[in-house]
PDB file of all heavy atoms in Angstrom:
ATOM      1  N   LEU A 324      21.412  -5.894 -11.923  1.00  0.00           N
ATOM      2  CA  LEU A 324      21.075  -5.568 -13.275  1.00  0.00           C
ATOM      3  C   LEU A 324      22.155  -5.964 -14.306  1.00  0.00           C
ATOM      4  O   LEU A 324      21.886  -6.388 -15.359  1.00  0.00           O
ATOM      5  CB  LEU A 324      20.827  -4.054 -13.409  1.00  0.00           C
ATOM      6  CG  LEU A 324      19.656  -3.469 -12.597  1.00  0.00           C
ATOM      7  CD1 LEU A 324      19.576  -1.956 -12.840  1.00  0.00           C
ATOM      8  CD2 LEU A 324      18.368  -4.168 -12.938  1.00  0.00           C
ATOM      9  N   ALA A 325      23.411  -5.778 -13.856  1.00  0.00           N
ATOM     10  CA  ALA A 325      24.494  -6.068 -14.785  1.00  0.00           C
ATOM     11  C   ALA A 325      25.809  -6.164 -13.958  1.00  0.00           C
ATOM     12  O   ALA A 325      25.991  -5.417 -12.983  1.00  0.00           O
ATOM     13  CB  ALA A 325      24.637  -5.032 -15.897  1.00  0.00           C
ATOM     14  N   PRO A 326      26.765  -7.025 -14.349  1.00  0.00           N
ATOM     15  CA  PRO A 326      28.074  -7.017 -13.740  1.00  0.00           C
ATOM     16  C   PRO A 326      28.827  -5.725 -14.116  1.00  0.00           C
ATOM     17  O   PRO A 326      28.576  -5.147 -15.163  1.00  0.00           O
ATOM     18  CB  PRO A 326      28.762  -8.278 -14.270  1.00  0.00           C
ATOM     19  CG  PRO A 326      28.072  -8.498 -15.552  1.00  0.00           C
ATOM     20  CD  PRO A 326      26.645  -8.022 -15.422  1.00  0.00           C
ATOM     21  N   SER A 327      29.731  -5.310 -13.234  1.00  0.00           N
ATOM     22  CA  SER A 327      30.534  -4.105 -13.583  1.00  0.00           C
ATOM     23  C   SER A 327      31.933  -4.251 -12.986  1.00  0.00           C
ATOM     24  O   SER A 327      32.114  -4.139 -11.803  1.00  0.00           O
ATOM     25  CB  SER A 327      29.842  -2.868 -12.983  1.00  0.00           C
ATOM     26  OG  SER A 327      30.571  -1.709 -13.257  1.00  0.00           O
ATOM     27  N   ARG A 328      32.846  -4.490 -13.901  1.00  0.00           N
ATOM     28  CA  ARG A 328      34.262  -4.468 -13.469  1.00  0.00           C
ATOM     29  C   ARG A 328      34.680  -3.060 -13.097  1.00  0.00           C
ATOM     30  O   ARG A 328      33.983  -2.122 -13.391  1.00  0.00           O
ATOM     31  CB  ARG A 328      35.190  -5.007 -14.579  1.00  0.00           C
ATOM     32  CG  ARG A 328      34.974  -6.403 -14.954  1.00  0.00           C
ATOM     33  CD  ARG A 328      36.051  -6.867 -15.948  1.00  0.00           C
ATOM     34  NE  ARG A 328      36.083  -5.977 -17.115  1.00  0.00           N
ATOM     35  CZ  ARG A 328      37.161  -5.371 -17.606  1.00  0.00           C
ATOM     36  NH1 ARG A 328      38.294  -5.490 -16.933  1.00  0.00           N
ATOM     37  NH2 ARG A 328      37.135  -4.666 -18.712  1.00  0.00           N
ATOM     38  N   ARG A 329      35.841  -2.970 -12.443  1.00  0.00           N
ATOM     39  CA  ARG A 329      36.430  -1.675 -12.186  1.00  0.00           C
ATOM     40  C   ARG A 329      37.857  -1.649 -12.716  1.00  0.00           C
ATOM     41  O   ARG A 329      38.557  -2.677 -12.603  1.00  0.00           O
ATOM     42  CB  ARG A 329      36.342  -1.292 -10.718  1.00  0.00           C
ATOM     43  CG  ARG A 329      34.932  -1.319 -10.161  1.00  0.00           C
ATOM     44  CD  ARG A 329      34.839  -0.884  -8.725  1.00  0.00           C
ATOM     45  NE  ARG A 329      35.040   0.542  -8.643  1.00  0.00           N
ATOM     46  CZ  ARG A 329      35.563   1.134  -7.564  1.00  0.00           C
ATOM     47  NH1 ARG A 329      35.947   0.431  -6.521  1.00  0.00           N
ATOM     48  NH2 ARG A 329      35.663   2.456  -7.517  1.00  0.00           N
ATOM     49  N   LEU A 330      38.251  -0.539 -13.304  1.00  0.00           N
ATOM     50  CA  LEU A 330      39.538  -0.497 -13.958  1.00  0.00           C
ATOM     51  C   LEU A 330      40.432   0.647 -13.366  1.00  0.00           C
ATOM     52  O   LEU A 330      39.904   1.705 -13.099  1.00  0.00           O
ATOM     53  CB  LEU A 330      39.359  -0.188 -15.458  1.00  0.00           C
ATOM     54  CG  LEU A 330      38.248  -0.904 -16.222  1.00  0.00           C
ATOM     55  CD1 LEU A 330      38.108  -0.352 -17.621  1.00  0.00           C
ATOM     56  CD2 LEU A 330      38.595  -2.395 -16.244  1.00  0.00           C
ATOM     57  N   LEU A 331      41.676   0.326 -13.183  1.00  0.00           N
ATOM     58  CA  LEU A 331      42.625   1.408 -12.845  1.00  0.00           C
ATOM     59  C   LEU A 331      42.996   2.084 -14.120  1.00  0.00           C
ATOM     60  O   LEU A 331      43.406   1.453 -15.097  1.00  0.00           O
ATOM     61  CB  LEU A 331      43.892   0.804 -12.185  1.00  0.00           C
ATOM     62  CG  LEU A 331      43.815   0.342 -10.751  1.00  0.00           C
ATOM     63  CD1 LEU A 331      45.036  -0.396 -10.336  1.00  0.00           C
ATOM     64  CD2 LEU A 331      43.502   1.510  -9.793  1.00  0.00           C
ATOM     65  N   CYS A 332      42.896   3.443 -14.137  1.00  0.00           N
ATOM     66  CA  CYS A 332      43.132   4.211 -15.368  1.00  0.00           C
ATOM     67  C   CYS A 332      44.004   5.439 -15.074  1.00  0.00           C
ATOM     68  O   CYS A 332      43.879   6.040 -14.006  1.00  0.00           O
ATOM     69  CB  CYS A 332      41.829   4.648 -15.970  1.00  0.00           C
ATOM     70  SG  CYS A 332      40.636   3.369 -16.348  1.00  0.00           S
ATOM     71  N   ALA A 333      44.784   5.754 -16.084  1.00  0.00           N
ATOM     72  CA  ALA A 333      45.599   7.003 -15.996  1.00  0.00           C
ATOM     73  C   ALA A 333      45.949   7.432 -17.409  1.00  0.00           C
ATOM     74  O   ALA A 333      45.825   6.629 -18.365  1.00  0.00           O
ATOM     75  CB  ALA A 333      46.849   6.808 -15.187  1.00  0.00           C
ATOM     76  N   SER A 334      46.354   8.652 -17.578  1.00  0.00           N
ATOM     77  CA  SER A 334      46.797   9.130 -18.901  1.00  0.00           C
ATOM     78  C   SER A 334      48.193   8.645 -19.187  1.00  0.00           C
ATOM     79  O   SER A 334      48.961   8.361 -18.258  1.00  0.00           O
ATOM     80  CB  SER A 334      46.724  10.671 -18.927  1.00  0.00           C
ATOM     81  OG  SER A 334      47.706  11.235 -18.087  1.00  0.00           O
ATOM     82  N   SER A 335      48.530   8.602 -20.453  1.00  0.00           N
ATOM     83  CA  SER A 335      49.910   8.203 -20.791  1.00  0.00           C
ATOM     84  C   SER A 335      50.913   9.211 -20.280  1.00  0.00           C
ATOM     85  O   SER A 335      52.030   8.868 -19.854  1.00  0.00           O
ATOM     86  CB  SER A 335      50.030   8.069 -22.318  1.00  0.00           C
ATOM     87  OG  SER A 335      49.656   9.275 -22.963  1.00  0.00           O
ATOM     88  N   ALA A 336      50.516  10.513 -20.224  1.00  0.00           N
ATOM     89  CA  ALA A 336      51.416  11.533 -19.715  1.00  0.00           C
ATOM     90  C   ALA A 336      51.754  11.296 -18.252  1.00  0.00           C
ATOM     91  O   ALA A 336      52.924  11.423 -17.792  1.00  0.00           O
ATOM     92  CB  ALA A 336      50.829  12.926 -19.898  1.00  0.00           C
ATOM     93  N   TYR A 337      50.720  10.939 -17.462  1.00  0.00           N
ATOM     94  CA  TYR A 337      50.949  10.664 -16.042  1.00  0.00           C
ATOM     95  C   TYR A 337      51.897   9.466 -15.881  1.00  0.00           C
ATOM     96  O   TYR A 337      52.809   9.461 -15.083  1.00  0.00           O
ATOM     97  CB  TYR A 337      49.636  10.447 -15.291  1.00  0.00           C
ATOM     98  CG  TYR A 337      49.878  10.022 -13.845  1.00  0.00           C
ATOM     99  CD1 TYR A 337      50.072  10.962 -12.851  1.00  0.00           C
ATOM    100  CD2 TYR A 337      49.889   8.666 -13.523  1.00  0.00           C
ATOM    101  CE1 TYR A 337      50.318  10.581 -11.523  1.00  0.00           C
ATOM    102  CE2 TYR A 337      50.132   8.270 -12.194  1.00  0.00           C
ATOM    103  CZ  TYR A 337      50.359   9.205 -11.229  1.00  0.00           C
ATOM    104  OH  TYR A 337      50.608   8.812  -9.906  1.00  0.00           O
ATOM    105  N   LEU A 338      51.649   8.417 -16.600  1.00  0.00           N
ATOM    106  CA  LEU A 338      52.400   7.178 -16.477  1.00  0.00           C
ATOM    107  C   LEU A 338      53.833   7.357 -16.931  1.00  0.00           C
ATOM    108  O   LEU A 338      54.800   6.815 -16.352  1.00  0.00           O
ATOM    109  CB  LEU A 338      51.740   6.042 -17.268  1.00  0.00           C
ATOM    110  CG  LEU A 338      50.341   5.606 -16.783  1.00  0.00           C
ATOM    111  CD1 LEU A 338      49.737   4.552 -17.696  1.00  0.00           C
ATOM    112  CD2 LEU A 338      50.392   5.096 -15.335  1.00  0.00           C
ATOM    113  N   GLU A 339      54.040   8.189 -17.927  1.00  0.00           N
ATOM    114  CA  GLU A 339      55.431   8.489 -18.375  1.00  0.00           C
ATOM    115  C   GLU A 339      56.133   9.323 -17.327  1.00  0.00           C
ATOM    116  O   GLU A 339      57.369   9.139 -17.083  1.00  0.00           O
ATOM    117  CB  GLU A 339      55.407   9.286 -19.679  1.00  0.00           C
ATOM    118  CG  GLU A 339      54.966   8.431 -20.898  1.00  0.00           C
ATOM    119  CD  GLU A 339      54.737   9.288 -22.104  1.00  0.00           C
ATOM    120  OE1 GLU A 339      55.015  10.515 -22.063  1.00  0.00           O
ATOM    121  OE2 GLU A 339      54.240   8.723 -23.119  1.00  0.00           O
ATOM    122  N   ARG A 340      55.407  10.165 -16.632  1.00  0.00           N
ATOM    123  CA  ARG A 340      56.007  11.019 -15.600  1.00  0.00           C
ATOM    124  C   ARG A 340      56.228  10.289 -14.276  1.00  0.00           C
ATOM    125  O   ARG A 340      57.277  10.492 -13.613  1.00  0.00           O
ATOM    126  CB  ARG A 340      55.070  12.248 -15.373  1.00  0.00           C
ATOM    127  CG  ARG A 340      55.662  13.301 -14.435  1.00  0.00           C
ATOM    128  CD  ARG A 340      54.772  14.512 -14.399  1.00  0.00           C
ATOM    129  NE  ARG A 340      53.520  14.295 -13.670  1.00  0.00           N
ATOM    130  CZ  ARG A 340      52.317  14.282 -14.249  1.00  0.00           C
ATOM    131  NH1 ARG A 340      52.232  14.430 -15.570  1.00  0.00           N
ATOM    132  NH2 ARG A 340      51.236  14.057 -13.524  1.00  0.00           N
ATOM    133  N   CYS A 341      55.301   9.432 -13.909  1.00  0.00           N
ATOM    134  CA  CYS A 341      55.344   8.839 -12.582  1.00  0.00           C
ATOM    135  C   CYS A 341      55.600   7.342 -12.596  1.00  0.00           C
ATOM    136  O   CYS A 341      55.769   6.738 -11.501  1.00  0.00           O
ATOM    137  CB  CYS A 341      54.053   9.117 -11.817  1.00  0.00           C
ATOM    138  SG  CYS A 341      53.719  10.872 -11.597  1.00  0.00           S
ATOM    139  N   GLY A 342      55.612   6.691 -13.779  1.00  0.00           N
ATOM    140  CA  GLY A 342      55.822   5.281 -13.874  1.00  0.00           C
ATOM    141  C   GLY A 342      54.553   4.507 -13.799  1.00  0.00           C
ATOM    142  O   GLY A 342      53.557   4.954 -13.251  1.00  0.00           O
ATOM    143  N   THR A 343      54.571   3.283 -14.390  1.00  0.00           N
ATOM    144  CA  THR A 343      53.392   2.428 -14.453  1.00  0.00           C
ATOM    145  C   THR A 343      53.468   1.394 -13.314  1.00  0.00           C
ATOM    146  O   THR A 343      54.421   0.595 -13.288  1.00  0.00           O
ATOM    147  CB  THR A 343      53.284   1.743 -15.789  1.00  0.00           C
ATOM    148  OG1 THR A 343      53.217   2.675 -16.851  1.00  0.00           O
ATOM    149  CG2 THR A 343      52.077   0.813 -15.850  1.00  0.00           C
ATOM    150  N   PRO A 344      52.534   1.393 -12.386  1.00  0.00           N
ATOM    151  CA  PRO A 344      52.576   0.410 -11.305  1.00  0.00           C
ATOM    152  C   PRO A 344      52.330  -0.999 -11.806  1.00  0.00           C
ATOM    153  O   PRO A 344      51.565  -1.191 -12.745  1.00  0.00           O
ATOM    154  CB  PRO A 344      51.455   0.853 -10.356  1.00  0.00           C
ATOM    155  CG  PRO A 344      50.516   1.609 -11.246  1.00  0.00           C
ATOM    156  CD  PRO A 344      51.380   2.278 -12.304  1.00  0.00           C
ATOM    157  N   LYS A 345      53.023  -1.963 -11.221  1.00  0.00           N
ATOM    158  CA  LYS A 345      52.873  -3.381 -11.606  1.00  0.00           C
ATOM    159  C   LYS A 345      52.259  -4.202 -10.481  1.00  0.00           C
ATOM    160  O   LYS A 345      51.743  -5.277 -10.719  1.00  0.00           O
ATOM    161  CB  LYS A 345      54.250  -3.931 -11.975  1.00  0.00           C
ATOM    162  CG  LYS A 345      54.997  -3.209 -13.065  1.00  0.00           C
ATOM    163  CD  LYS A 345      54.240  -3.310 -14.412  1.00  0.00           C
ATOM    164  CE  LYS A 345      55.041  -2.657 -15.535  1.00  0.00           C
ATOM    165  NZ  LYS A 345      54.333  -2.736 -16.827  1.00  0.00           N
ATOM    166  N   THR A 346      52.406  -3.716  -9.283  1.00  0.00           N
ATOM    167  CA  THR A 346      51.918  -4.492  -8.088  1.00  0.00           C
ATOM    168  C   THR A 346      51.095  -3.606  -7.181  1.00  0.00           C
ATOM    169  O   THR A 346      51.074  -2.385  -7.318  1.00  0.00           O
ATOM    170  CB  THR A 346      53.094  -5.053  -7.306  1.00  0.00           C
ATOM    171  OG1 THR A 346      53.851  -3.994  -6.722  1.00  0.00           O
ATOM    172  CG2 THR A 346      54.073  -5.894  -8.184  1.00  0.00           C
ATOM    173  N   LEU A 347      50.443  -4.237  -6.208  1.00  0.00           N
ATOM    174  CA  LEU A 347      49.661  -3.472  -5.223  1.00  0.00           C
ATOM    175  C   LEU A 347      50.564  -2.557  -4.439  1.00  0.00           C
ATOM    176  O   LEU A 347      50.179  -1.367  -4.162  1.00  0.00           O
ATOM    177  CB  LEU A 347      48.938  -4.421  -4.261  1.00  0.00           C
ATOM    178  CG  LEU A 347      47.846  -5.313  -4.876  1.00  0.00           C
ATOM    179  CD1 LEU A 347      47.178  -6.115  -3.774  1.00  0.00           C
ATOM    180  CD2 LEU A 347      46.785  -4.447  -5.565  1.00  0.00           C
ATOM    181  N   SER A 348      51.746  -2.959  -4.077  1.00  0.00           N
ATOM    182  CA  SER A 348      52.639  -2.093  -3.332  1.00  0.00           C
ATOM    183  C   SER A 348      53.099  -0.902  -4.146  1.00  0.00           C
ATOM    184  O   SER A 348      53.311   0.171  -3.625  1.00  0.00           O
ATOM    185  CB  SER A 348      53.857  -2.899  -2.818  1.00  0.00           C
ATOM    186  OG  SER A 348      54.533  -3.524  -3.919  1.00  0.00           O
ATOM    187  N   ASP A 349      53.235  -1.094  -5.451  1.00  0.00           N
ATOM    188  CA  ASP A 349      53.585   0.022  -6.341  1.00  0.00           C
ATOM    189  C   ASP A 349      52.537   1.112  -6.279  1.00  0.00           C
ATOM    190  O   ASP A 349      52.862   2.332  -6.347  1.00  0.00           O
ATOM    191  CB  ASP A 349      53.741  -0.432  -7.771  1.00  0.00           C
ATOM    192  CG  ASP A 349      54.958  -1.305  -8.013  1.00  0.00           C
ATOM    193  OD1 ASP A 349      55.859  -1.302  -7.163  1.00  0.00           O
ATOM    194  OD2 ASP A 349      55.013  -1.974  -9.080  1.00  0.00           O
ATOM    195  N   LEU A 350      51.280   0.719  -6.183  1.00  0.00           N
ATOM    196  CA  LEU A 350      50.201   1.677  -6.214  1.00  0.00           C
ATOM    197  C   LEU A 350      50.237   2.654  -5.038  1.00  0.00           C
ATOM    198  O   LEU A 350      49.776   3.801  -5.186  1.00  0.00           O
ATOM    199  CB  LEU A 350      48.829   0.909  -6.171  1.00  0.00           C
ATOM    200  CG  LEU A 350      48.212   0.495  -7.460  1.00  0.00           C
ATOM    201  CD1 LEU A 350      46.906  -0.237  -7.189  1.00  0.00           C
ATOM    202  CD2 LEU A 350      47.986   1.634  -8.378  1.00  0.00           C
ATOM    203  N   GLU A 351      50.718   2.231  -3.903  1.00  0.00           N
ATOM    204  CA  GLU A 351      50.690   3.038  -2.714  1.00  0.00           C
ATOM    205  C   GLU A 351      51.437   4.351  -2.842  1.00  0.00           C
ATOM    206  O   GLU A 351      51.107   5.335  -2.183  1.00  0.00           O
ATOM    207  CB  GLU A 351      51.187   2.240  -1.486  1.00  0.00           C
ATOM    208  CG  GLU A 351      50.333   1.088  -1.156  1.00  0.00           C
ATOM    209  CD  GLU A 351      50.909   0.243  -0.024  1.00  0.00           C
ATOM    210  OE1 GLU A 351      52.033   0.550   0.420  1.00  0.00           O
ATOM    211  OE2 GLU A 351      50.257  -0.709   0.412  1.00  0.00           O
ATOM    212  N   GLY A 352      52.399   4.410  -3.740  1.00  0.00           N
ATOM    213  CA  GLY A 352      53.173   5.603  -3.922  1.00  0.00           C
ATOM    214  C   GLY A 352      52.595   6.572  -4.959  1.00  0.00           C
ATOM    215  O   GLY A 352      53.165   7.650  -5.239  1.00  0.00           O
TER     216      GLY A 352
END
Side-chain angles (χ1 to χ4, degrees):
L324 298 181
S327 178
R328 294 187 304 126
R329 303 184 73 207
L330 316 173
L331 285 172
C332 303
S334 69
S335 57
Y337 174 84
L338 296 175
E339 289 171 6
R340 187 173 71 248
C341 301
T343 301
K345 302 295 184 183
T346 65
L347 294 182
S348 58
D349 290 344
L350 272 179
E351 294 176 356

